[in-house]
Amino acid sequence: MLTKAQVRHCLDEITKMFPDAQCELTHRNPFELVIAVLLSAQCTDVLVNKVTKNLFKKYKKPEDYLAVSLEELQEDIRSIGLYRNKAKNIQKLCQSLIDEYGGEVPNTKSEMVKLAGVGQKTANVVASVAFGEPAIAVDTHVERVSKRLGICRWKDSVTQVEETLMKKVPREEWTATHHRLIFFGRYHCRARNPNCPDCPLLDICREGQKRMRKRL
DNA sequence: CTCCCGATAT
DNA sequence: ATATCAGGAG
């Protein structure tokens, strides 16, 4: 486990690499963001944006998703993968927005996670990106990077990773840090072929040193 | 824990 | 061929 000063060092170096990291899911309002994040499960955001480009032309409001059959919505998002669950969740979510929230996305995480298909990670993304609430959404990249660098332990759950990051990162930096860790994981500390040779954190990264020795 | 699942890079 | 992708529900 890294010390607080070492974590600070990591964040500073990652900030230098990706100073302008931000949400890469295209959206124009909180509702579109919820749909985009829900669709992004186990799928690249490049592909999500390709699908939502057409999807958001056809579906503007929660009512629009309920005006078509489940089968039609499935076809409109099929290329995303996990499309049966996602289509079903979108329609349930839209019905809840209409019935419980006046057709708007609720602005608190506790209310968001009650929506179908919205878990802790999605709620954190929407709360921070759409409503400006400090949050650290732990996705596959944040989890992998945190574990490789030693910010948290390998056996930690996503909940534990989130708690550790919130403890070790100043609240006002949560959202920016969250995006920078994603960019770092997506473009540098990649799952398959991490760029350890060019990594400024190699001196404190046990995993990177191990990979260099094994020439991974 | 398993299942859901197509697109893409390796 | 296979691992991976801004996870969540049962």
Side-chain angles (χ1 to χ4, degrees), chain A residues 59-175:
Chain A
Y59 306 90
K60 306 284 189 187
K61 301 180 302 177
E63 290 83 354
D64 301 329
Y65 289 95
L66 295 168
V68 301
S69 67
L70 179 59
E71 291 73 21
E72 182 172 346
L73 181 55
Q74 283 179 9
E75 276 311 300
D76 288 336
I77 66 170
R78 190 176 52 81
S79 60
I80 290 285
L82 309 181
Y83 61 92
R84 276 184 276 253
N85 286 337
K86 289 174 181 176
K88 195 189 309 171
N89 284 333
I90 286 173
Q91 289 197 325
K92 285 181 67 177
L93 178 148
C94 288
Q95 191 66 59
S96 297
L97 292 184
I98 294 168
D99 293 344
E100 320 276 344
Y101 302 100
E104 300 292 324
V105 178
N107 60 5
T108 64
K109 284 191 281 181
S110 58
E111 292 300 318
M112 284 187 228
V113 294
K114 296 178 184 173
L115 300 168
V118 177
Q120 181 72 12
K121 178 247 162 182
T122 299
N124 272 324
V125 172
V126 176
S128 61
V129 174
F131 298 114
E133 183 189 336
I136 297 180
V138 178
D139 68 348
T140 181
H141 299 297
V142 175
E143 180 178 6
R144 181 182 64 253
V145 165
S146 299
K147 291 182 176 180
R148 279 183 179 167
L149 287 174
I151 294 175
C152 65
R153 303 179 194 276
W154 279 101
K155 51 169 51 173
D156 284 349
S157 66
V158 290
T159 304
Q160 289 172 312
V161 177
E162 184 181 340
E163 288 173 358
T164 301
L165 286 170
M166 288 193 294
K167 196 182 302 178
K168 295 190 176 183
V169 179
R171 187 184 184 84
E172 61 271 20
E173 297 178 28
W174 283 358
T175 301

Side-chain angles (χ1 to χ4, degrees), chain A residues 18 22 24-25 27 30 40 46 49 66 98 102-103 106 123 142 159 172 187 208:
Chain A
F18 304 101
Q22 57 182 317
E24 296 197 297
L25 293 168
H27 63 283
S40 72
V46 173
N49 290 337
L66 295 168
I98 294 168
V142 175
T159 304
E172 61 271 20
Y187 303 117

